Amino acid sequence: MKPVLRQVTHSPEHSFAVRKDTGGDMQNTWHYHAEIEFLYIRHSAGTWLIGDHIGHFQSGDVVITGANLPHCFRHETTYMDSGETICVKFLPEILGDHFLQLPEAKSIRALLGKASTGLQLMGKTKEMAAALIEAMLMDTPGKKLVHLLLLLQEVSESRDYVPLSSKGFIQSPGNSDEERIRTIFEYTMKHYHERISLDTVASLLNMTRPSFCRYFKSKTKKTYVEFLMEVRIGYACKLLVEDEKNVAEIGYECGYNNISHFNHQFKSITGKRPLEYKRDYLEQHS
DNA sequence: CGTTAGGTGACCCACGGCTA
DNA sequence: TAGCCGTGGGTCACCTAACG
């Protein structure tokens, strides 16, 4: 497998990167990098894994991933031709130590610290950030920098964002565990709708079941079954709001053989029953 | 020799299929 | 719908092997 530490290259006129990806270029594997990243989902939907957080994204979402925070965005195949994302990547150093120590930069400093868990922007802040990121695509180099500062300032002052991953889920460059975790995550994302036994995933790492359980929990702060459940329920949430299947069909499609068990786990993850979740979602987005 | 990673066996408990 | 029971997952204690 290829190394997963990504090196971001910039053109000579830029100290940070603003890039639009379309179709298959959007697809990525479990990776991390030293840069802080803003990702704006211009037109797509899928599942994101950020640290130990699993969730569903859709068009309009904006997320910040901190330095060395492992993440992966898996776009649905229906967006392989039409999908579009815009990412802004920058090293915190480009702002300079002196700048970040200024009293006026206090909130930006705090935001960059909080980004270590990954942050999903919400409400008006999300819309504002999307508009700024959109503008940065066409900006002159100097104006890009101004807009980056404005983006950081506006987000840091609004505080309209939610943390995604657990604290402490930061990848150290050169960590030999990353490939193992990535192997497990990628296998899970490919097979979550099927039956997956612990022995199978343990064998992917040439481990016994107890060793794998212990290893996975030590690295992700959750058991593999909890992780798998979150992936499945995340997919179920997406199917529910698409309104094309009933609850039982969705439960079976997500890998559950028992719908009462599916309902129970759905509530334990989301706090709501499947139909309640769907009703609330449709009320909020109507 | 201490530390760390990983294996073995045992136990408990939840899930889920089956039956009445 | 409830109860039974086999299966599988999580964890613990203890062990071995490798390594510095």
Side-chain angles (χ1 to χ4, degrees):
Chain A
M1 287 193 186
K2 294 175 185 174
V4 292
L5 172 61
R6 295 269 176 85
Q7 299 290 347
V8 178
T9 55
H10 311 125
S11 69
E13 303 86 49
H14 301 90
S15 57
F16 64 100
V18 181
R19 192 185 70 226
K20 183 171 92 169
D21 288 323
T22 56
D25 293 338
M26 303 186 302
Q27 210 61 276
N28 57 39
T29 56
W30 180 244
H31 70 286
Y32 67 93
H33 38 70
E35 290 80 5
I36 293 171
E37 175 177 352
F38 276 82
L39 186 76
Y40 165 42
I41 309 294
R42 200 182 201 185
H43 176 66
S44 185
T47 304
W48 61 29
L49 290 93
I50 297 171
D52 61 358
H53 166 86
I54 304 126
H56 181 71
F57 63 82
Q58 58 189 3
S59 298
D61 281 344
V62 181
V63 69
I64 312 174
T65 55
N68 296 321
L69 177 65
H71 55 277
C72 170
F73 298 91
R74 300 197 71 87
H75 298 262
E76 291 167 14
T77 51
T78 48
Y79 293 96
M80 279 303 93
D81 292 328
S82 60
E84 287 183 354
T85 61
I86 304 174
C87 77
V88 178
K89 286 182 183 171
F90 64 96
L91 290 164
E93 293 91 281
I94 69 164
L95 301 171
D97 286 344
H98 291 305
F99 173 83
L100 288 174
Q101 295 308 318
L102 295 173
E104 292 83 357
K106 186 180 172 187
S107 60
I108 293 181
R109 195 167 65 240
L111 175 71
L112 297 184
K114 289 176 188 171
S116 65
T117 64
L119 301 170
Q120 181 177 6
L121 306 191
M122 312 300 284
K124 298 280 183 200
T125 304
K126 176 175 77 173
E127 292 170 22
M128 175 278 304
L132 277 174
I133 293 170
E134 189 89 50
M136 287 167 78
L137 258 189
M138 308 303 290
D139 280 342
T140 58
K143 209 166 178 186
K144 272 190 173 68
L145 184 60
V146 172
H147 273 153
L148 175 62
L149 285 175
L150 186 58
L151 177 62
L152 291 169
Q153 179 64 21
E154 293 283 345
V155 173
S156 67
E157 288 193 345
S158 81
R159 300 184 183 180
D160 198 6
Y161 47 74
V162 291
L164 298 175
S165 176
S166 303
K167 284 184 178 172
F169 202 100
I170 298 174
Q171 197 72 41
S172 303
N175 191 330
S176 63
D177 294 320
E178 71 195 31
E179 188 164 316
R180 289 170 150 190
I181 296 295
R182 187 161 65 102
T183 300
I184 296 304
F185 279 15
E186 291 187 353
Y187 178 85
T188 305
M189 296 311 292
K190 194 173 176 183
H191 297 279
Y192 66 86
H193 52 282
E194 303 164 7
R195 174 173 173 69
I196 298 177
S197 75
L198 269 182
D199 289 323
T200 303
V201 285
S203 69
L204 292 175
L205 303 188
N206 296 317
M207 282 182 178
T208 62
R209 187 167 56 88
S211 294
F212 170 72
C213 290
R214 198 168 44 224
Y215 174 79
F216 191 85
K217 187 156 193 175
S218 72
K219 300 303 172 190
T220 66
K221 313 290 186 250
K222 63 178 74 175
T223 66
Y224 179 75
V225 168
E226 287 173 329
F227 166 71
L228 177 61
M229 183 167 75
E230 288 178 18
V231 172
R232 286 174 166 166
I233 297 301
Y235 182 58
C237 290
K238 168 193 164 294
L239 293 178
L240 275 167
V241 303
E242 283 179 352
D243 200 26
E244 288 173 1
K245 295 183 171 72
N246 63 37
V247 172
E249 286 175 316
I250 290 170
Y252 290 126
E253 189 164 334
C254 294
Y256 289 89
N257 296 318
N258 183 313
I259 297 307
S260 63
H261 178 46
F262 167 66
N263 287 333
H264 180 257
Q265 289 207 333
F266 191 96
K267 188 165 185 180
S268 74
I269 294 287
T270 67
K272 298 172 184 174
R273 291 190 289 271
L275 287 179
E276 272 183 278
Y277 177 90
K278 180 177 177 175
R279 186 195 61 212
D280 292 352
Y281 178 90
L282 293 177
E283 277 177 12
Q284 286 169 18
H285 293 80
S286 58

